[in-house]
Structure formats: C-alpha cells, structure tokens
Amino acid sequence: MNEHIEEAADWGLVPEHMKLKLVEILNENSTYDIYNKVITLCDALADSEGFTTLEKRLISVGLRHGTTIHTSLHWKGFYKIKNELEGLLNKSIYKLLPGVEDSIYTSTDH
C-alpha cells in the first residue's frame, strides 16, 4: 500500500536477511492493481466483530500496536484507496458493508 516499504508498521522489527528476501519478492510481484487495492481496503474495514469504519479500525490498531513516525502516511494510503474505489463506485464504500453502522456503537478495545 505504501510507495516505500520502510514506512510499514514495525518494519524495523524484521531481521535484515528477511527484509532483503521480502523486498526481492515484492519487487518481482510489484503489480498493485485494483484487485490488490480492494483486498487491502477490505482488510482495513473489518475486525473480529465484522465490518467497521476505517477511522475506527485504524484507531483500534494504533491503540493495540502503537504508532510510528510513518503511521499517518500509512493511514493516508488507506484513504487514498478508499477514495479511489468510491470514485469508481460513485458511492460510499460503507453502503456495501452490511452492519457497518453497528460498529459505531461498540468499543475499540478488541
């Protein structure tokens, strides 16, 4: 989702030999098409309780795992994908997610 892999959350925790292998694999498979964007956004719009808003999911993850200096760039990437898909759909992505409104009334401490 990010143009620079080093901006990924906890990238600094990955051992150097694994980092080199991951970069090699990602460079070989660098196509980030609409399918990959949909999968990325779907992952960001669901938690253990079902569908949720992007804002709630990002805050929940941030509270559980902390943030880095790159977190805002990471979050902006999700919104960029969301906006692109909503432009293609010509409606809010939330209109396609059954029960998403229920998540508004639940706690973020999953």
Side-chain angles (χ1 to χ4, degrees):
M1 182 183 76
N2 293 299
E3 294 177 10
H4 306 286
I5 194 165
E6 59 273 2
E7 294 173 0
D10 295 331
W11 182 248
L13 300 175
V14 178
E16 190 62 32
H17 71 282
M18 288 181 72
K19 187 185 293 188
L20 295 172
K21 185 63 178 173
L22 288 169
V23 168
E24 179 184 324
I25 291 168
L26 290 171
N27 284 336
E28 290 172 3
N29 303 299
S30 61
T31 304
Y32 196 64
D33 57 14
I34 194 71
Y35 174 82
N36 293 311
K37 291 175 182 179
V38 168
I39 296 299
T40 298
L41 191 61
C42 286
D43 181 53
L45 291 172
D47 61 19
S48 63
E49 304 298 316
F51 294 117
T52 189
T53 64
L54 188 54
E55 295 82 1
K56 185 165 183 189
R57 176 77 163 129
L58 296 178
I59 293 299
S60 175
V61 171
L63 289 172
R64 284 183 283 119
H65 299 288
T67 60
T68 70
I69 61 170
H70 301 294
T71 298
S72 66
L73 295 174
H74 193 70
W75 290 1
K76 286 177 186 177
F78 285 114
Y79 281 99
K80 183 177 179 182
I81 293 170
K82 180 179 175 290
N83 291 337
E84 180 182 347
L85 294 177
E86 287 177 338
L88 292 170
L89 295 167
N90 202 28
K91 65 174 135 183
S92 171
I93 197 81
Y94 298 126
K95 292 190 179 275
L96 303 174
L97 306 176
V100 71
E101 65 278 357
D102 296 337
S103 76
I104 297 168
Y105 306 106
T106 60
S107 173
T108 57
D109 58 345
H110 292 86

